[in-house]
């Protein structure tokens, strides 16, 4: 499916042809029965040795990868809901088994978070918002701790 999506947007054929191998390698998605764990260990060892010579990507579990990649989609869901006048509340620490059962989600899918979407009650809408970190406490420029200065706005087209 990933290769088909890449091909549909015009990715080079050489890249598309290698995608199944790389997806399998980095997602641990190969299904080889008893060979799965020896291959997993061999892959970790090979990447560690290669990492001595050059920069290599950190291998994560498929679930970790999925969770990291779900967050931009969750952010856009929340921004669009706010645009539509809806309140959102992302949740972590939920009972995954109950969520899976309630929504009939197959076991092969991870559940990175749950987002409640709806209309806020009058009481909730009137309540003061929780404190927020200052922008410069969260973002830096070039090196850790260096203040981030936004780039100048582009000049209007002539």
């Amino acid at each position: 499916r990933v290769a088909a999506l890449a091909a549909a947007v015009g990715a080079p054929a050489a890249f598309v042809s290698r995608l199944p191998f790389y997806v399998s390698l980095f997602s641990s998605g190969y299904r080889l029965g008893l060979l799965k764990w020896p291959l997993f260990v061999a892959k970790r060892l090979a990447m560690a040795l290669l990492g001595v010579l050059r920069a290599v990507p950190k291998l994560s579990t498929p679930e970790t990868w999925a969770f990291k990649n779900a967050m931009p989609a969750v952010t856009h869901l929340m921004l669009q809901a706010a645009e539509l006048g809806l309140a959102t509340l992302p949740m972590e620490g939920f009972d995954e088994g109950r969520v899976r059962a309630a929504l009939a989600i197959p076991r092969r899918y991870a559940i990175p978070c749950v987002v409640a979407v709806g209309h806020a009650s009058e009481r909730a809408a009137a309540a003061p918002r929780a404190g927020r970190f200052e922008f410069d406490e969260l973002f830096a420029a070039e090196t850790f701790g260096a203040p981030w200065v936004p780039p100048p706005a582009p000049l209007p087209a002539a």
Side-chain angles (χ1 to χ4, degrees), residues 39-93:
L39 284 174
F40 173 80
V41 171
K43 176 177 67 171
R44 294 282 179 165
L45 183 59
M47 294 301 278
L49 292 173
L50 188 57
V52 172
L53 303 173
R54 64 184 203 153
V56 294
K58 179 181 177 192
L59 296 176
S60 299
T61 66
E63 185 175 59
T64 299
W65 182 88
F67 282 26
K68 288 178 182 178
N69 282 277
M71 292 307 110
V74 169
T75 302
H76 284 277
L77 166 79
M78 294 173 67
L79 290 170
Q80 185 61 47
E83 180 69 21
L84 296 171
L86 299 169
T88 59
L89 178 67
M91 294 177 263
E92 189 179 32

Side-chain angles (χ1 to χ4, degrees), residues 124-135:
R129 292 189 62 169
R132 300 285 190 249
F133 286 102
E134 293 297 323
F135 187 86

Side-chain angles (χ1 to χ4, degrees), residues 31 63 67 96-112:
R31 293 189 172 101
E63 185 175 59
F67 282 26
E96 186 174 341
R98 287 184 178 177
V99 170
R100 190 176 298 287
L103 300 176
I105 299 172
R107 297 266 331 137
R108 71 178 183 270
Y109 293 101
I111 305 172

